[in-house]
C-alpha cells in the first residue's frame, strides 16, 4: 500500500504538476503585484482615483468592494493573456508544424467521382472496376 503511494508520488506527471502549480502561484503573485502596484494606479490616475482597491459601494450596513474585484479581474485577464500568447499559441503552432499529415482513407472513383475506400477494387456507386491504392 505504501509502495504504491510512493510510486504514485514519484511518477513524472505528479512532480511536473507540482512544479507547474508552484511556478504558476509565483507568476500569479508577480502579476498581482504588477496590477495593484503599477497598472491600476496608472489607470486610476487617468480617472482621478489613486487606486481601484479603495472603490466601494455601501448598501445599508454592507460594503461591496468592487475595486478589489476590478484588480482581481485585471490580474486574471493579464495572466490569461500571457498564458495564451506565450504558451498556448506557440505550442499550437509548433505542434501543427510537426504533426503528421494523415492521409485520407478515401479517394474519388475515376468513373463517377464518388468517394470510395483507397483499397477498393470496385466502386460501390457505379460498380466500375478500379485499381486499389495502397
Amino acid at each position: 500500500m505504501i509502495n504504491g503511494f510512493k510510486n504514485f508520488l514519484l511518477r513524472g506527471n505528479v512532480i511536473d504538476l507540482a512544479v507547474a502549480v508552484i511556478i504558476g502561484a509565483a507568476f500569479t503573485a508577480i502579476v498581482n503585484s504588477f496590477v495593484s502596484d503599477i497598472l491600476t494606479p496608472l489607470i486610476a490616475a487617468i480617472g482621478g482615483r489613486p487606486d481601484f482597491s479603495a472603490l466601494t459601494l455601501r448598501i445599508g450596513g454592507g460594503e461591496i468592494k468592487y475595486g478589489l474585484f476590478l484588480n482581481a479581474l485585471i490580474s486574471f485577464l493579464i495572466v490569461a493573456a500571457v498564458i495564451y500568447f506565450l504558451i498556448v499559441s506557440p505550442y499550437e503552432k509548433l505542434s501543427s508544424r510537426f504533426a503528421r499529415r494523415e492521409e485520407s482513407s478515401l479517394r474519388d472513383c475515376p468513373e463517377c467521382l464518388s468517394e470510395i475506400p483507397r483499397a477498393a477494387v470496385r466502386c460501390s456507386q457505379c460498380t466500375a472496376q478500379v485499381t486499389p491504392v495502397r
Side-chain angles (χ1 to χ4, degrees):
M1 190 95 144
I2 296 295
N3 281 339
F5 184 67
K6 184 177 87 172
N7 291 338
F8 170 74
L9 288 179
L10 295 178
R11 222 184 271 169
N13 301 2
V14 174
I15 293 177
D16 292 343
L17 181 60
V19 169
V21 167
I22 292 168
I23 290 174
F27 179 71
T28 301
I30 290 170
V31 171
N32 285 337
S33 174
F34 172 74
V35 169
S36 63
D37 299 333
I38 297 171
L39 189 62
T40 39
L42 287 174
I43 294 172
I46 295 169
R49 298 251 185 200
D51 186 8
F52 285 157
S53 62
L55 298 175
T56 60
L57 176 67
R58 293 192 182 273
I59 298 177
E63 182 178 47
I64 300 173
K65 299 177 181 181
Y66 68 93
L68 294 174
F69 174 75
L70 288 176
N71 283 345
L73 180 65
I74 292 169
S75 294
F76 170 77
L77 292 175
I78 289 174
V79 169
V82 167
I83 288 172
Y84 178 77
F85 289 112
L86 295 182
I87 297 172
V88 174
S89 183
Y91 174 76
E92 287 177 351
K93 287 179 185 177
L94 189 64
S95 64
S96 69
R97 190 175 290 172
F98 290 110
R100 282 194 279 178
R101 304 278 188 250
E102 235 182 76
E103 284 192 35
S104 173
S105 61
L106 301 175
R107 64 182 173 129
D108 291 337
C109 171
E111 296 294 323
C112 69
L113 300 178
S114 64
E115 285 188 337
I116 59 172
R118 294 179 66 77
V121 293
R122 188 173 296 275
C123 176
S124 62
Q125 301 295 319
C126 68
T127 68
Q129 283 191 324
V130 294
T131 307
V133 177
R134 303 273 181 231

